[in-house]
Amino acid sequence: MLSHYGAVGLSPWPSLLIESLGGAGGFSGAEFWRIRSSRQTLCLRRWPPEHPSPKRLLFQHAVLRHVHQQGVKIVPVPLAADDGTTFVTVEGRMWELAPWLPGEADFRQNPSRARLEAALRALAQFHAAAALFPTNVAPCSPSPGLRQRLEMVRRWLSGDGELLERRIVDADWRELAQRARRLLPMFRALAPAIDKELADAAPALLPQQPVLRDIWHDHVLFEGDRVSGLIDFGAMQIDSVAGDVARLLGSLARDDADLWRVGLSAYEAIRPLSKDERLAVTVFDRSTMLLSGMNWLRWIYLDGRSFDDRRRVEARLDEILARQEKASQS
C-alpha cells in the first residue's frame, strides 16, 4: 500500500519503522499503523469495509484541508498519493495516510478546568473555520441529527425495544446482559420526556455546516494544557454545531453544571450560540444520554458486531447508566 506514496518520502522501505496499533482503542472498525522515517512520523489508516463511502471520505478530506488552510493546524490533513488522490483503494479497502499529531488523549486521566476550556476553544475554532466551507445545503434548516434521534426514540418505543429484549441472553456475555437488563427499563422511563424535548426542538431552523459528530475525550490530544490535535473524522457530516458541543461537553464535564458553564463560556468566546442552538445543545446531550446505551445494544444483539475489548464496552455502558440514573432522580 505504501508504494502509492513514494512522493512523500517514505523510501527506502527498509529504513521505515512500522508499528501496528490495531484499532487504537477505538470502536469504529478502522485499523491503524504508526510509520516513522528519518524525516517524519505518519498515521496510516485502513477504513472498515462498511463505511465511509468514497464520496463521504472525499468530503471529509476536503473539509480538513479547508480548515487547515483557515489556520486551524491541529487537524491531520491526509497526504496526496502519487496519483494526486487523498486515499487509495487496495483489495476493496480504502486507506489514507496523514501526519501523526503529537500529544495524548488523556483528559480523563488528567482533567482540569484549563484543559476543558482549551478543548472547547479548539472545537469552536474548528467550527468557525468549517462554517466557511462551501456546501449546497440551506444556510439554516432543521437539524438532521435531532430528527434522526426523534425517529430512533420512536422506533425503540414502537417495537425495536421488545425485539432487543428477546435477544438478550446470558450465555455468551453475562456482564453485558446484566447491563442490558438495567438499560432497557431506564430507557422506557426516560424516553417519553426526551421524546417531547426532541419533538419540540427538531423543527428549529439552525445554521448548517460541517461538524464532527464524534468528538469526545478520546479524540482530543493534549500536550500539557494545550490541545495539540483533534482526530477521527469518520462521522463528519452537515448538521448543527450544537451536536458537537453537546457531545464534547457531555464527555468532558458529564453532569457537572459548573463545568458545563465553563465549557460553554470558552466555546462562545469564539463562536457564540443562538438561543435555539443553546436549547439544541441541551436536547442533543439529553438524547445522547438516552440513546447511547441502546445503540451499543443494537450493535451487539441485533447487528451482530463484536468488540475485542469487552471491559471497555462495559465501562462505557456503566458511564451511560450512571448518567441515566442521575437523570431519573432529577
Side-chain angles (χ1 to χ4, degrees):
M1 207 292 303
L2 292 176
S3 63
H4 293 272
Y5 288 91
V8 302
L10 289 183
S11 60
W13 308 118
S15 68
L16 298 179
L17 295 176
I18 302 177
E19 177 187 2
S20 174
L21 305 175
F27 300 107
S28 69
E31 298 174 78
F32 301 86
W33 291 261
R34 178 161 41 197
I35 300 175
R36 294 186 174 95
S37 73
S38 59
R39 295 171 50 189
Q40 59 192 324
T41 301
L42 300 171
C43 179
L44 177 66
R45 177 201 293 253
R46 181 171 72 175
W47 289 94
E50 60 271 16
H51 70 86
S53 67
K55 181 178 180 181
R56 177 61 59 85
L57 189 56
L58 286 172
F59 162 73
Q60 294 167 12
H61 290 178
V63 172
L64 292 175
R65 185 166 56 251
H66 167 86
V67 167
H68 194 271
Q69 291 170 347
Q70 294 293 317
V72 181
K73 305 301 186 183
I74 55 174
V75 298
V77 180
L79 303 176
D82 293 341
D83 65 358
T85 61
T86 53
F87 70 90
V88 298
T89 302
V90 178
E91 296 181 352
R93 300 286 291 274
M94 295 186 297
W95 301 69
E96 68 181 42
L97 191 65
W100 184 273
L101 297 183
E104 300 293 333
D106 61 353
F107 181 91
R108 185 57 59 87
Q109 293 77 28
N110 299 290
S112 71
R113 173 172 172 156
R115 285 179 145 214
L116 177 75
E117 291 176 319
L120 270 296
R121 285 195 299 268
L123 178 63
Q125 289 162 357
F126 178 92
H127 284 162
L132 302 175
F133 183 82
T135 69
N136 58 3
V137 301
C140 289
S141 60
S143 161
L146 290 177
R147 293 202 308 267
Q148 181 186 44
R149 286 159 185 247
L150 180 59
E151 293 167 2
M152 290 170 65
V153 170
R154 292 181 175 178
R155 284 201 304 270
W156 283 120
L157 290 173
S158 65
D160 283 9
E162 294 177 1
L163 173 61
L164 173 63
E165 193 164 23
R166 293 195 295 269
R167 298 285 183 88
I168 297 171
V169 294
D170 291 311
D172 180 54
W173 191 349
R174 181 173 58 86
E175 296 80 4
L176 177 66
Q178 291 171 344
R179 290 165 172 81
R181 294 192 180 99
R182 292 171 58 198
L183 279 162
L184 279 168
M186 194 67 69
F187 171 84
R188 290 173 180 136
L190 295 170
I194 296 176
D195 176 275
K196 184 178 186 309
E197 293 168 14
L198 284 164
D200 290 344
L205 300 180
L206 304 175
Q208 301 293 300
Q209 66 166 80
V211 295
L212 303 176
R213 295 180 65 245
D214 192 24
I215 179 69
W216 62 301
H217 60 71
D218 272 17
H219 294 163
V220 183
L221 305 180
F222 288 92
E223 288 186 318
D225 290 338
R226 182 182 70 87
V227 172
S228 57
L230 301 177
I231 58 173
D232 205 332
F233 302 90
M236 183 189 293
Q237 68 179 37
I238 304 296
D239 206 327
S240 165
V241 301
D244 281 358
V245 176
R247 180 83 166 99
L248 184 56
L249 263 176
S251 168
L252 303 182
R254 301 189 188 181
D255 290 312
D256 189 315
D258 289 337
L259 291 181
W260 270 82
R261 284 191 287 271
V262 168
L264 285 171
S265 178
Y267 181 90
E268 291 199 83
I270 294 170
R271 200 287 190 184
L273 297 166
S274 69
K275 180 180 178 181
D276 283 340
E277 287 175 323
R278 292 190 199 99
L279 174 61
V281 169
T282 299
V283 178
F284 264 112
D285 179 60
R286 293 259 296 160
S287 57
T288 295
M289 175 271 298
L290 177 72
L291 288 166
S292 293
M294 302 300 287
N295 288 339
W296 279 102
L297 299 184
R298 177 187 292 280
W299 292 333
I300 296 167
Y301 287 116
L302 300 183
D303 297 346
R305 290 180 60 180
S306 61
F307 298 92
D308 293 335
D309 193 340
R310 290 187 169 189
R311 290 186 179 274
R312 286 197 72 210
V313 175
E314 293 162 12
R316 290 287 296 276
L317 292 176
D318 287 341
E319 291 181 7
I320 294 164
L321 279 164
R323 290 202 70 192
Q324 289 182 345
E325 288 165 357
K326 185 169 184 178
S328 69
Q329 296 165 6
S330 61

